[in-house]
Amino acid sequence: QVQLVESGGGSVQAGGSLRLSCAIYGTTIQTYYMHFGWFRQAPGLEREGVASISPVGSTSYADSVKGRFFISKDNANSTLYLQMNSLKPEDTGMYYCAADSSPRPPVDMRYRGQGTQVTISS
């Protein structure tokens, strides 16, 4: 069992930045060897995978956020991050971190947190 707790959401103007954090509560092995990701959901829209990171640090991003968002993981502090730059109003939504023992799209990962709201104003 892995528990994930997001923080860092908020309201910013377009062009601004936010850094989301996700505290990982699990065993050391889970922290080091699971796959992690972020997905988001805006009202009325389907969930969208944003970024993922493998146990060896390989990253992948949705085309909509490439070059603006960066996913990273601090194993020593059991924390997953999502650095979001050059934010756009269309980035608004609830952001969730997720984890799975297998490589899956973030929206399909087994474990997920409760989410943190991100609102971008124009």
Side-chain angles (χ1 to χ4, degrees), residues 13-75:
Q13 289 191 324
S17 297
L18 281 173
R19 188 176 78 159
L20 305 184
S21 299
C22 175
I24 303 165
Y25 296 97
T27 67
T28 300
I29 289 178
Q30 289 171 324
T31 298
Y32 275 76
Y33 294 110
M34 292 187 82
H35 298 259
F36 291 88
W38 291 92
F39 66 92
R40 64 188 180 187
Q41 186 164 27
L45 299 179
E46 293 188 357
R47 294 173 299 171
E48 178 189 16
V50 173
S52 62
I53 186 167
S54 75
V56 296
S58 298
T59 58
S60 64
Y61 299 92
D63 288 342
S64 58
V65 305
K66 275 181 184 175
R68 300 189 299 121
F69 289 15
F70 301 94
I71 187 172
S72 61
K73 183 161 65 78
D74 182 341
N75 288 329

Side-chain angles (χ1 to χ4, degrees), residues 33-120:
Y33 294 110
M34 292 187 82
H35 298 259
F36 291 88
W38 291 92
F39 66 92
R40 64 188 180 187
Q41 186 164 27
L45 299 179
E46 293 188 357
R47 294 173 299 171
E48 178 189 16
V50 173
S52 62
I53 186 167
S54 75
V56 296
S58 298
T59 58
S60 64
Y61 299 92
D63 288 342
S64 58
V65 305
K66 275 181 184 175
R68 300 189 299 121
F69 289 15
F70 301 94
I71 187 172
S72 61
K73 183 161 65 78
D74 182 341
N75 288 329
N77 291 304
S78 299
T79 305
L80 180 73
Y81 298 102
L82 184 68
Q83 178 67 44
M84 306 188 296
N85 302 324
S86 302
L87 284 161
K88 304 175 181 179
E90 51 263 44
D91 294 320
T92 293
M94 187 71 80
Y95 282 69
Y96 301 85
C97 68
D100 201 298
S101 57
S102 300
R104 303 181 195 281
V107 299
D108 294 327
M109 288 183 174
R110 179 176 181 182
Y111 302 102
R112 60 187 61 172
Q114 294 300 307
T116 186
Q117 178 67 37
V118 171
T119 303
I120 311 303

